[in-house]
Amino acid sequence: MSRAIGRLVLRRIGFAVPVLVIVAFGIFLLAAASPFDPIHQYYGVEIFGASAADVAAVRAQLGLDEPVLVQFWQWATGVSGGDLGVSRSFRQPVAQVVAERLPWTILLAATGLALAVVIALVLGTVAAWRQGGWVDRFVTAIGHALEGVPPFVLALLSIAVFSLGLGWLPVAGLTDAGTSVSFGQVAKHLALPALVLGISQSPWLVLHVRQSMLTSLSEDHVTGARARGLAERVVVLRHALPTALLPFVTLIGARVPELVTGAVLVEEVFSWPGLAAAVVTAATAVDYPLLAILTLVATAAVLLGSLLADIAAIVLDPRVAADG
């Protein structure tokens, strides 16, 4: 099994490198076609008082007068040497911007995914166990209804109810105004955005677990367990559920792109200090170095999620072929 996993990892790394290069180059091409002028975003309102000579000098200093291919090559050679460049929009090294914001995005995404998995396993299993009952009908109806609701709509509704209406949870930010970062403060401010992100990702997972459980409950080994007189709870949790977990793990890996998109939207609504604000700022400012790195981080997260899902599938069922 370890050899199969090792070969899978090597194949995925070999696949990921050209994908990341193509994605980064595509970002440079799209940014070059953007209607925004990076030098105007760099100057801000001061552009109206700057002379043409000063603007041209700054453009040359930033390398914006070079063709997009030259800019990409200079950026790529710098990244390969460990230099991620300097963000023009934040006036900071790109590595510093990412290091300050990435941990908070990971915290939000991981918490939201964990909540979505728990919700899916509990509700999907109960719905399949009580197929046709009111719980099954309720869970299925809510799942289908939430499939078409964007995360930012859920976020705004949750703020209206739990923050503005009931006053239970804070509206936005990482901590209360003037309060230092602490576990209690972060947990309180994380609760609502993580819950929104988890609920927004759960409908597909709940419905998938329900369907997988229904299929598993009709298989021979489950029928045999019932024929041996085992309690229904034992049959469901120890015989049917493990069989249903394999496709569920694969689905989690496929949902990583949606999780990344959902996390960006939720961060924007709740003013969470993650990478979302940096993505928006870098896009509007045509900040090549920062925009490219942030896109590569998101792409790498998707590729890593797919890899981890495949590894988990191999571990859960060694019969699965590790064909990459």
Side-chain angles (χ1 to χ4, degrees):
M1 181 187 300
S2 58
R3 284 188 175 183
I5 293 176
R7 290 195 297 269
L8 175 63
V9 171
L10 291 177
R11 279 197 297 270
R12 291 297 179 86
I13 292 176
F15 170 76
V17 172
V19 168
L20 293 175
V21 172
I22 293 173
V23 168
F25 183 58
I27 289 298
F28 271 74
L29 291 180
L30 290 175
S34 170
F36 298 104
D37 188 347
I39 200 66
H40 289 179
Q41 304 299 319
Y42 180 83
Y43 265 103
V45 295
E46 296 178 1
I47 188 69
F48 299 106
S51 65
D54 290 338
V55 172
V58 172
R59 191 183 295 274
Q61 181 182 358
L62 297 176
L64 296 175
D65 58 340
E66 300 285 354
V68 64
L69 290 177
V70 175
Q71 293 185 48
F72 173 74
W73 176 254
Q74 293 174 345
W75 172 84
T77 53
V79 170
S80 63
D83 181 13
L84 303 185
V86 177
S87 169
R88 297 192 296 267
S89 53
F90 284 88
R91 312 291 177 94
Q92 291 178 326
V94 171
Q96 181 179 346
V97 176
V98 174
E100 290 176 351
R101 295 173 174 268
L102 182 59
W104 301 118
T105 294
I106 293 176
L107 176 62
L108 175 61
T111 307
L113 179 60
L115 288 173
V117 169
V118 172
I119 292 171
L121 290 177
V122 173
L123 295 184
T125 301
V126 173
W129 190 358
R130 307 299 184 187
Q131 182 185 12
W134 71 269
V135 174
D136 181 25
R137 293 195 298 270
F138 177 78
V139 169
T140 303
I142 294 298
H144 285 299
L146 288 177
E147 280 182 317
V149 180
F152 70 87
V153 173
L154 289 177
L156 294 175
L157 288 175
S158 67
I159 290 175
V161 174
F162 297 105
S163 297
L164 302 180
L166 299 175
W168 291 352
L169 294 169
V171 174
L174 184 65
T175 63
D176 294 337
T179 305
S180 60
V181 176
S182 64
F183 176 82
Q185 281 287 315
V186 173
K188 183 173 69 172
H189 285 73
L190 174 66
L192 199 54
L195 183 61
V196 168
L197 183 59
I199 292 177
S200 70
Q201 300 302 311
S202 62
W204 297 269
L205 301 179
V206 170
L207 296 174
H208 189 276
V209 170
R210 176 185 177 275
Q211 187 58 47
S212 296
M213 281 294 296
L214 290 176
T215 303
S216 181
L217 287 170
S218 63
E219 293 184 356
D220 293 339
H221 71 283
V222 176
T223 304
R226 283 174 172 155
R228 294 196 300 272
L230 297 178
E232 186 67 13
R233 179 179 298 178
V234 175
V235 172
V236 172
L237 297 181
R238 296 188 180 181
H239 294 268
L241 183 58
T243 305
L245 284 180
L246 183 58
F248 176 67
V249 169
T250 304
L251 178 63
I252 292 176
R255 295 297 304 173
V256 171
E258 287 289 338
L259 179 68
V260 172
T261 303
V264 170
L265 295 174
V266 171
E267 282 188 9
E268 275 294 284
V269 174
F270 287 98
S271 299
W272 187 255
L275 293 177
V279 171
V280 175
T281 302
T284 56
V286 199
D287 190 346
Y288 290 101
L290 181 58
L291 189 59
I293 290 298
L294 293 178
T295 305
L296 291 184
V297 169
T299 305
V302 172
L303 296 175
L304 180 60
S306 176
L307 174 61
L308 293 178
D310 289 341
I311 292 176
I314 295 173
V315 173
L316 291 173
D317 188 354
R319 296 172 298 174
V320 175
D323 55 4

